[in-house]
Amino acid sequence: QVQLVESGGGLVQAGGSLRLSCAASGRIFSINYMRWYRQAPGKQRELVASMPAGGKTNYADSVKGRFTISRDNAKNTVYLQMNSLKPEDTAVYYCNADIMMVGYGLGYVDYWGQGTQVTVSS
């Protein structure tokens, strides 16, 4: 069983910073894309940032210049450094990854974390 476990969410004042972490565990052979999504109440889930293994980063326009996605492939972990946070960044943040499991001979399978709350006060 593959699991994605997130940490680092919480409450912060506008202008502050948080770093989210998401570690994948299980019988993992390789991970291609790792992504961060977020969903605010009453709004659609949106892609915040993505990064393939060894590839370039991609960001939503709303977070460009403020958020940074990075990976530690040896630890199967993806990070989201969030700076200059705004109240509109308040949302549940979800980790997502395309993972190939050991032993199945299958392609990549989409996995999701449980979500972690980020609240930015004004």
Side-chain angles (χ1 to χ4, degrees), residues 2-28:
V2 171
Q3 292 185 332
L4 300 178
V5 180
E6 300 171 333
S7 62
L11 175 65
V12 66
Q13 286 191 311
S17 298
L18 286 173
R19 191 178 78 157
L20 305 183
S21 300
C22 173
S25 62
R27 296 188 297 109
I28 297 170

Side-chain angles (χ1 to χ4, degrees), residues 1-99:
Q1 179 76 290
V2 171
Q3 292 185 332
L4 300 178
V5 180
E6 300 171 333
S7 62
L11 175 65
V12 66
Q13 286 191 311
S17 298
L18 286 173
R19 191 178 78 157
L20 305 183
S21 300
C22 173
S25 62
R27 296 188 297 109
I28 297 170
F29 179 74
S30 68
I31 303 175
N32 190 9
Y33 271 90
M34 301 191 83
R35 308 174 182 90
W36 289 98
Y37 287 80
R38 68 185 181 187
Q39 188 167 25
K43 296 185 178 180
Q44 296 283 334
R45 184 173 298 185
E46 65 172 338
L47 178 63
V48 176
S50 66
M51 187 177 186
K56 75 173 186 177
T57 58
N58 186 64
Y59 299 94
D61 288 341
S62 59
V63 307
K64 285 181 179 177
R66 299 188 298 120
F67 290 11
T68 302
I69 187 171
S70 61
R71 295 174 61 158
D72 185 339
N73 291 328
K75 297 180 179 179
N76 290 329
T77 299
V78 63
Y79 306 94
L80 186 67
Q81 178 67 47
M82 304 185 293
N83 299 325
S84 301
L85 283 162
K86 304 175 181 179
E88 50 263 46
D89 295 318
T90 295
V92 177
Y93 283 71
Y94 296 92
C95 178
N96 167 258
D98 298 329
I99 299 175

